[in-house]
Amino acid sequence: MVSGAVGSVEVTPVQAAQVVVGHLVPGMPWMSDGSLTPLQDQAVWQFRIPRVLLAGLAGAGLALAGALMQVTVRNPLAEPYILGVSSGASVGAVLVIVLGSAAVGGLSLNVAAFAGALVACGCVAALARKNGALSPTRMILSGVALGSLFSAITSYLTISTDAQNVVSVLFFLLGSVSAATMPNLLGPAIALGVSCAVAAGLARSLNALMTGDESAASLGVDATRLRAVLLVVASLLTGTVVSVAGGIGFVGLVVPHVARICVGADHRRTLPVTVLGGAVFLMAADLLARTVAAPTEIPLGILTAIVGAPFFLWLMRRDGADRAGLGR
Amino acid sequence: MRVEIDRVGVTLGGREVVHEASFVVEPGELVGLVGPNGSGKSSLLRTLYRAVRPSAGAVRVGGDDVLTLSSREAARRVAVMLQDPSTEFDLDVYETVLLGRGPHHSSFGRDTAQDVAIVEEALRNTEVDDLGGRMVATLSGGQRQRVMLARALAQRSPVLVLDEPSNHLDISHQHDLMSTVRGLGRTVIAALHDLNLAAQYCDRVVVLAAGRVVADGAPAAVLTPDLIRATFAIDVRVLGDPPVLAFRPLPRAVTRTSAPVPSST
């Protein structure tokens, strides 16, 4: 509501709430009695609310994907982009920006980015497979190597294009939720819903996987199969978010750690806190992104790092961080 | 529950580390698996909990090939006390032991009062009930080993596999562990380094050398000075009553591969 109220068109939080309720529940008196101007209504319902919702969905999605990737490769440095998802998406998006939609078969920027993300993930999965099993180390290394390759392509495309395109490219690379509309919320919403359901069902198995492959086997969890499921879920979720909101950094790496510091590493507690925390963090970051330097907007990815990094470092230094395995 | 190792072969990285190993563990029996480093003890045990797929033969638990069981059913039949858990993302002691209840739950199953009771009993039996809230990574090797035993006990499976269960334990906890395990009445297979411990607590001892079963029988019949000298390349005398094995290194010139089988003791 606060986010709905803040912006160049003046709206009070109460009015913002009235707009939302008015659109959801038909027949509310304030929608027709002239107490809200059409401009206010439009600003809240068509621009600010989709934007807030996208920030929430993207934050929750990236944080969840990060938590899943960290346990998949059993590495605290893992994040949603570790398998080259964002660099793959960037190539897709930048191709559209630089060469135009027609050059890539008429795909829109969002679809091209999603396709790029899937291609990257598919490559990593294929390269990391050996004897039918996905090795965590090979996943990380092929992800990093392919990521560099894709970044190089993106950089080349960026540097060889017109100056006006560079800003669009940068905006995508750093991530932003400013282009949100109600229809393009659908993809991330579905992906997040499905991922949350799958993750909730797997929480116990994730705890077992955390203690090692052999240990997981002795607890009745097939690490190879679980890892494949997690890879698919985390990649689709990340790909969907990145294709709409660009490469917002930091959320997927840090929010899961913050959740572990707060409630411990048992996934049955960590995952819900991660999802909620990611949503709240990114909504707050977006609110700052469009108010701090108003009327100019700061790309969201810059803000998440500027605000998030010091906060995380402070949290990490506290005693409670031992709970997240950060005590060593 | 009966465990049958039937002509099992294990190949790792193209090298056969276990060759046609066969033996049976009857329900309620405590069987010690002994053999020098690299003899294939751990590899053979891994086939029991499906961490390794045998390249030949079959492992049957309760009459079924373990590979035909679902992962969860296999874990309800066989629990394993592993050496060291991975602690990149650390759980506390209570949460770790609670993992043992996982195979008994469906995807969305919640912990029941029975789970809590079983976990608390396992914590008490292994004397780690005072460590409940400690993170596993902060424990000593011996404490961690007891937590891993508690986790395996909480699994409440009829078959228990122990891989070097006592290597970090002090002498009194070694004996506590073996008599606790003995008193469970479950079918137990334990890879052991300490031959005296094996002799004292096991119903039977299976000796593995270079991936093959070279002896299988009651400890007194199997752990003879001749066999020990041939398998472990160490001189040994049997002292006292109850008998205790006293070891003495062989002269330097005698290598492990050419250890002689002496004519008498």
Side-chain angles (χ1 to χ4, degrees):
Chain A
M1 289 311 116
V2 174
S3 292
V6 177
S8 50
V9 177
E10 266 189 44
V11 187
T12 65
V14 176
Q15 284 174 318
Q18 285 177 328
V19 171
V20 173
V21 175
H23 276 275
L24 295 178
V25 186
M28 286 294 158
W30 59 75
M31 293 307 282
S32 47
D33 66 4
S35 61
L36 294 166
T37 66
L39 199 60
Q40 286 176 322
D41 177 46
Q42 202 186 16
V44 172
W45 187 246
Q46 287 188 2
F47 296 104
R48 292 180 198 161
I49 293 300
R51 176 175 191 149
V52 173
L53 288 178
L54 181 59
L57 287 171
L62 290 174
L64 177 60
L68 296 180
M69 282 315 303
Q70 285 169 359
V71 64
T72 304
V73 297
R74 214 180 302 124
N75 189 319
L77 292 177
E79 39 118 13
Y81 306 146
I82 197 153
L83 300 182
V85 177
S86 67
S87 38
S90 303
V91 172
V94 173
L95 276 175
V96 172
I97 295 171
V98 172
L99 303 176
S101 169
V104 283
L107 297 178
S108 71
L109 188 144
N110 293 353
V111 177
F114 186 67
L118 290 197
V119 167
C121 265
C123 289
V124 169
L127 289 168
R129 255 173 85 93
K130 197 175 178 189
N131 305 329
L134 289 163
S135 132
T137 313
R138 266 199 302 270
M139 280 166 85
I140 297 176
L141 292 178
S142 42
V144 169
L146 274 178
S148 306
L149 179 65
F150 287 132
S151 301
I153 297 173
T154 306
S155 302
Y156 176 74
L157 288 171
T158 311
I159 222 159
S160 58
T161 188
D162 300 337
Q164 84 242 19
N165 285 343
V166 174
V167 178
S168 325
V169 170
L170 262 181
F171 230 77
F172 180 85
L173 292 183
L174 291 168
S176 167
V177 290
S178 58
T181 58
M182 284 295 183
N184 71 20
L185 292 178
L186 193 62
I190 294 172
L192 181 64
V194 172
S195 307
C196 283
V198 172
L202 291 175
R204 234 180 239 279
S205 304
L206 292 173
N207 288 345
L209 184 63
M210 202 159 62
T211 61
D213 284 19
E214 211 165 284
S215 166
S218 78
L219 293 167
V221 173
D222 183 339
T224 303
R225 213 166 63 188
L226 179 57
R227 202 165 270 138
V229 171
L230 291 172
L231 179 66
V232 170
V233 170
S235 304
L236 286 178
L237 181 55
T238 311
T240 321
V241 170
V242 172
S243 70
V244 180
I248 300 167
F250 209 69
V251 183
L253 173 68
V254 161
V255 172
H257 285 301
V258 173
R260 278 188 212 99
I261 290 172
C262 296
V263 296
D266 182 341
H267 283 88
R268 287 175 294 173
R269 292 192 306 268
T270 313
L271 292 181
V273 174
T274 300
V275 170
L276 278 179
V280 170
F281 175 61
L282 211 55
M283 288 195 284
D286 181 51
L287 180 60
L288 284 177
R290 62 200 183 85
T291 49
V292 171
T296 318
E297 246 183 53
I298 302 174
L300 194 47
I302 293 180
L303 219 112
T304 52
I306 288 179
V307 177
F311 171 68
F312 177 64
L313 291 174
W314 168 74
L315 208 57
M316 188 188 81
R317 301 279 305 174
R318 287 180 358 141
D319 291 345
D322 288 1
R323 282 183 70 70
L326 298 173
R328 280 154 292 152
Chain B
M1 201 173 261
R2 193 165 193 261
V3 176
E4 228 178 311
I5 310 280
D6 185 8
R7 282 162 295 163
V8 167
V10 177
T11 306
L12 293 180
R15 218 174 69 82
E16 194 178 44
V17 292
V18 176
H19 180 77
E20 295 216 339
S22 290
F23 62 91
V24 170
V25 187
E26 298 295 342
E29 243 187 340
L30 169 49
V31 168
L33 194 57
V34 305
N37 295 142
S39 59
K41 298 186 297 289
S42 293
S43 300
L44 186 54
L45 289 184
R46 284 195 180 105
T47 63
L48 264 163
Y49 54 94
R50 316 207 315 176
V52 166
R53 204 173 237 280
S55 53
V59 176
R60 283 184 281 274
V61 177
D64 301 306
D65 188 327
V66 286
L67 293 177
T68 65
L69 301 173
S70 71
S71 313
R72 212 185 287 154
E73 174 60 23
R76 281 195 290 258
R77 294 191 189 186
V78 182
V80 192
M81 175 186 169
L82 284 164
Q83 290 267 19
D84 251 329
S86 159
T87 52
E88 268 89 8
F89 302 111
D90 206 10
L91 294 170
D92 68 27
V93 169
Y94 187 89
E95 291 166 336
T96 301
V97 178
L98 192 59
L99 284 175
R101 301 306 301 157
H104 299 271
H105 285 281
S106 64
S107 297
F108 291 93
R110 300 176 63 93
D111 301 329
T112 61
Q114 192 200 4
D115 292 330
V116 173
I118 289 172
V119 167
E120 280 169 1
E121 187 192 326
L123 289 167
R124 273 195 307 276
N125 281 344
T126 51
E127 292 175 55
V128 288
D129 42 346
D130 53 331
L131 302 176
R134 289 267 299 274
M135 303 310 287
V136 171
T138 66
L139 301 179
S140 76
Q143 288 171 326
R144 212 179 288 188
Q145 222 152 17
R146 276 144 59 203
V147 170
M148 294 310 280
L149 177 64
R151 190 184 100 175
L153 293 181
Q155 226 163 312
R156 286 286 168 99
S157 58
V159 179
L160 192 57
V161 173
L162 312 174
D163 190 2
E164 307 292 355
S166 62
N167 62 348
H168 289 301
L169 297 179
D170 61 44
I171 187 78
S172 88
H173 280 111
Q174 287 183 15
H175 286 262
D176 279 351
L177 175 121
M178 291 307 286
S179 56
T180 302
V181 167
R182 242 233 95 90
L184 294 171
R186 300 190 207 177
T187 310
V188 183
I189 308 175
L192 294 169
H193 271 310
D194 187 331
L195 300 183
N196 277 311
L197 217 53
Q200 191 176 343
Y201 290 98
C202 294
D203 299 307
R204 258 173 50 230
V205 171
V206 173
V207 184
L208 221 53
R212 290 158 201 268
V213 174
V214 295
D216 175 358
V222 168
L223 296 175
T224 60
D226 286 2
L227 180 126
I228 291 171
R229 200 169 302 142
T231 313
F232 293 90
I234 189 156
D235 204 5
V236 63
R237 282 197 300 161
V238 183
L239 304 174
D241 186 34
V244 172
L245 301 167
F247 299 96
R248 197 180 59 187
L250 288 174
R252 272 292 234 227
V254 185
T255 64
R256 270 165 195 275
T257 45
S258 63
V261 178
S263 49
S264 70
T265 45

